[in-house]
Amino acid sequence: MGGAVTFAAALPVALGLLVVLRSAQVSIGMLLVCHGASVALIGLQALDVLGGGAGLLLDQLAQGAWVLLFVWSAVMAHLFPDGALPSPRWRWWLGAEVLGVAAFVVGAVGNFETFSEQHPGQAPPLGALPSTVSAILGTVGLVALVCLVVSAGVAVVVRLRMAHEDARTRLLWLVWGAWAVPVSLVVAWANHFLLGDQTWLVIAALGVGTLSVPLTVAVATLRHRLFDIRVVLSRTVTATVMTGAVLVMYASVLEAVRRLGGDSTVGGLLAVAVVAVVIHPAHSWLRQRVERRVHGYRGDPHRALRMLADTTEAAPQETLAASISATIAEAVRVDWARIDTGSGVDDGNHRFPLEHRGEVIGSLVVASPPGGRFGAKDLALLRDLARYAAVVVFADRHHGALRDSRARIVAAREEERRRLRRDLHDGIGPSLAAVVLKLNAAETRTDAQERHAILKEARSEVKEAIDEVRRLVDDLRPPAIDEVGLLAAIRQRALGLSEAVVFEVRGPTAMPDLPAAVETAAFRIAAEAMTNVARHASATRCEVDITITGDEFAITVTDNGRGAASTVRSGMGWESMRERAAELGGSCTLTNGAPGTGLSVHAVLPHRPSPGHLAEAGERA
């Protein structure tokens, strides 16, 4: 017994000194030392190692010392893990509770009746208080003690809601130690009322109840990542609840059989049968709930995927990425997760590529689980979630691109209508109005020569109006494509350019039917590239090659000029070619060749572009 008391007193003191020396939490370390001193005081009184006046003094002081075992732990819970209260408002509340507990200690030390029961006929060394005063102080102190313990639990809950990562892990260590206190008290009471005060069980229960909080607080302060506290805590809670349930169920069945007049053997067998039938499903249900509370849906991947699917279906488009991140964080029970569509920097967190059809479009970044690491099954679940999220992010990105594309289509259409209106109103309209006026004037003239001159002027105005209409039609779609075909239209365009450059246009003899948007885009790209060669390349020869392979239409324009500088390659003409190809879902690249080979423009257009691309290109053409 003496060795157990020495160990129970020395361990908190040693841990407290270690915390003071190896961490910044001096207040936590000093509280651990005070806890060990209180255990020593109670242990010395229980062992009755002192005699005479010193023994009487120790016995009187120890009358209220038992409460200190709860006080130091409760105060530690208020200050843990950073040594400060959750907020300044807690200072007055904690001070009032400590004063109330101090009143209990004073009342207990001054209680003459308790002292006289242990030492009949002897006077207390420190004197005694009136019984009324002692009773009032004891009542107030007990209320303050209950409030102190309750507020300690509230402080831990408040901190758990606000804490992240390391702080949360440390608090879970405290919760694990605090969980053992009521369990040890229940065991001690059961030992007293049912088992006849078995000595070894008393020592074990008191040891666990006395040392659990100091030990876990010290470990949380110095080595909070010693192991995954969440797993330990969840299994401890499950085992404790199930053990208690089995004992209560077994005792209840035995008592029921006894009251009904049955045999104790029959009652034992019946109790065993009931426990055997109920315990497994109850254990599975409880463990599932506890594991879900601690680990989320790591053990149920299908449920995690369903939850992510429900979230993506219900989330607004504007907050889709944030909703996916929050759902994944909840599914695996981590502090945060995010969708990173940038290049990403290795910041020590877990990264899972968001890959869709071979294209990496970002990363799923997940915080490390507090107090541990992901297992192989957890990593597999996160990879599955990342694959699903990749599809959603890819669709969301293209939805945004489609929305922007539609906006550009509407803007381009309205701009084209404005241009047509301006050209018709400012060009053709006045020309036709002038023709009408001249025809009216010619009608009023009696002189044939004068009337002939006016009609000649009107005829000239009509020709100019016809040329303007042709120009507007050509801007909408080159008529040569419909008249002679795409290949011949490109050749006609080449003949109209500079005579200093020899153009050679090659392509399939039998051109397949192409969408109008593809034909227009190909003609515009070829015309722009050949115009650039004639104006800027200082070339003598230019080749235009058209090839059709599968669903791809390719056009390549090469020259033997001087190539293009980087500033020229970012001009309006080059951008126009790139945009025309991109509108159809294709691409256009510009490449400087070796000296003497000039510039190469290579455009690839889908032979069968999507309806959305066709609509966009049709509006632009």
Side-chain angles (χ1 to χ4, degrees):
M1 185 71 175
V5 172
T6 302
F7 176 78
L11 183 61
V13 173
L15 292 174
L17 294 176
L18 199 60
V19 168
V20 170
L21 294 175
R22 295 196 176 183
S23 74
Q25 305 303 327
V26 178
S27 58
I28 300 297
M30 296 307 298
L31 288 171
L32 289 172
V33 172
C34 293
H35 185 90
S38 300
V39 174
L41 176 63
I42 298 173
L44 289 174
Q45 187 270 338
L47 294 175
D48 196 16
V49 296
L50 298 178
L56 294 177
L57 178 62
L58 182 62
D59 288 347
Q60 186 176 9
L61 290 175
Q63 289 180 169
W66 65 268
V67 76
L68 297 178
L69 299 179
F70 297 96
V71 171
W72 304 128
S73 297
V75 174
M76 274 190 286
H78 281 84
L79 301 177
F80 196 75
D82 55 4
L85 293 170
S87 70
R89 292 178 297 178
W90 285 72
R91 185 180 306 146
W92 300 104
W93 178 251
L94 180 60
E97 292 171 336
V98 171
L99 287 176
V101 174
F104 174 84
V105 174
V106 172
V109 171
N111 191 318
F112 178 77
E113 295 178 358
T114 303
F115 184 83
S116 62
E117 289 178 0
Q118 298 179 357
H119 305 283
Q122 303 211 22
L126 298 178
L129 295 174
S131 59
T132 304
V133 175
S134 178
I136 293 175
L137 292 177
T139 303
V140 172
L142 284 177
V143 173
L145 179 62
V146 173
C147 293
L148 180 65
V149 174
V150 172
S151 66
V154 173
V156 172
V157 172
V158 170
R159 288 184 186 273
L160 280 172
R161 291 179 177 177
M162 300 185 300
H164 296 282
E165 297 185 0
D166 287 350
R168 181 186 294 273
T169 302
R170 290 188 169 96
L171 288 168
L172 291 178
W173 276 93
L174 174 61
V175 172
W176 186 41
W179 179 263
V181 175
V183 173
S184 63
L185 291 177
V186 171
V187 172
W189 290 334
N191 179 51
H192 175 72
F193 291 107
L194 301 176
L195 303 177
D197 288 327
Q198 299 293 326
T199 304
W200 67 271
L201 195 55
V202 172
I203 295 175
L206 293 179
V208 172
T210 302
L211 299 178
S212 59
V213 172
L215 183 59
T216 54
V217 166
V219 174
T221 304
L222 300 174
R223 294 287 301 277
H224 65 283
R225 293 189 180 273
L226 184 62
F227 48 77
D228 192 349
I229 186 60
R230 290 192 169 198
V231 175
V232 177
L233 181 59
S234 64
R235 292 178 180 177
T236 300
V237 172
T238 303
T240 304
V241 173
M242 290 309 303
T243 301
V246 168
L247 293 176
V248 170
M249 189 182 305
Y250 188 86
S252 300
V253 173
L254 283 179
E255 181 64 18
V257 172
R258 187 187 66 81
R259 289 180 177 273
L260 293 175
D263 184 74
S264 59
T265 303
V266 176
L269 293 175
L270 182 60
V272 170
V274 171
V275 170
V277 171
V278 175
I279 192 62
H280 181 70
H283 177 267
S284 300
W285 180 87
L286 179 62
R287 183 173 182 178
Q288 184 180 20
R289 294 301 184 276
V290 174
E291 291 286 338
R292 185 170 299 171
R293 179 67 178 173
V294 176
H295 297 292
Y297 294 98
R298 297 187 203 175
D300 190 357
H302 297 292
R303 181 66 178 273
L305 289 170
R306 283 198 303 271
M307 185 168 64
L308 183 58
D310 293 340
T311 298
T312 55
E313 183 177 351
Q317 194 70 34
E318 298 77 11
T319 60
L320 182 59
S323 299
I324 291 175
S325 302
T327 302
I328 292 176
E330 181 183 355
V332 296
R333 273 293 188 271
V334 293
D335 290 332
W336 57 266
R338 70 173 186 269
I339 302 295
D340 186 0
T341 56
S343 57
V345 178
D346 188 5
D347 51 5
N349 296 302
H350 296 272
R351 285 184 171 270
F352 303 89
L354 299 178
E355 186 174 351
H356 180 68
R357 294 185 177 179
E359 177 187 359
V360 178
I361 58 178
S363 300
L364 170 64
V365 186
V366 182
S368 298
R373 63 187 65 182
F374 288 120
K377 293 183 178 180
D378 303 334
L379 295 175
L381 171 61
L382 285 169
R383 282 190 286 269
D384 290 340
L385 294 175
R387 281 197 291 268
Y388 184 88
V391 177
V392 178
V393 171
F394 182 83
D396 180 57
R397 176 184 294 181
H398 281 264
H399 177 79
L402 179 60
R403 184 174 58 247
D404 296 340
S405 173
R406 288 174 177 171
R408 289 197 302 271
I409 290 174
V410 173
R413 181 182 62 198
E414 295 304 318
E415 186 63 30
E416 187 69 14
R417 287 177 175 176
R418 184 183 296 115
R419 185 184 68 80
L420 287 174
R421 180 182 181 279
R422 182 177 62 250
D423 291 344
L424 292 172
H425 181 271
D426 299 340
I428 298 177
S431 297
L432 294 178
V435 170
V436 172
L437 292 175
K438 289 180 180 180
L439 290 176
N440 291 336
E443 187 179 12
T444 61
R445 297 295 191 270
T446 57
D447 185 16
Q449 292 184 351
E450 187 177 356
R451 185 168 57 251
H452 179 72
I454 294 174
L455 290 175
K456 184 177 180 181
E457 293 178 2
R459 189 179 299 110
S460 177
E461 292 283 350
V462 170
K463 288 181 179 180
E464 292 179 359
I466 292 174
D467 291 338
E468 180 68 14
V469 170
R470 285 176 177 172
R471 184 186 67 80
L472 293 176
V473 172
D474 289 348
D475 288 341
L476 295 176
R477 174 176 168 84
I481 297 177
D482 297 324
E483 294 170 0
V484 297
L486 175 60
L487 194 61
I490 295 176
R491 287 175 177 151
Q492 287 184 2
R493 178 62 177 169
L495 291 175
L497 295 173
S498 173
E499 297 180 356
V501 182
V502 177
F503 290 94
E504 183 179 356
V505 181
R506 297 187 293 264
T509 303
M511 188 76 69
D513 291 335
L514 298 174
V518 174
E519 289 181 328
T520 302
F523 179 84
R524 299 294 190 195
I525 292 172
E528 181 66 31
M530 291 188 300
T531 301
N532 288 334
V533 171
R535 293 180 179 177
H536 309 297
S538 299
T540 59
R541 185 174 181 81
C542 177
E543 297 179 354
V544 181
D545 292 298
I546 296 176
T547 58
I548 299 177
T549 305
D551 290 340
E552 288 186 348
F553 177 97
I555 181 168
T556 305
V557 181
T558 58
D559 63 78
N560 63 349
R562 61 186 180 184
S566 59
T567 55
V568 176
R569 293 174 66 184
S570 61
M572 291 294 294
W574 304 126
E575 284 298 323
S576 175
M577 288 189 286
R578 289 192 186 98
E579 289 178 359
R580 288 185 184 278
E583 286 167 355
L584 293 173
S587 62
C588 182
T589 57
L590 314 175
T591 307
N592 268 324
T597 59
L599 184 71
S600 175
V601 177
H602 181 67
V604 178
L605 307 175
H607 188 187
R608 298 180 180 86
S610 64
H613 283 132
L614 285 175
E616 182 176 352
E619 291 290 346
R620 192 181 189 281

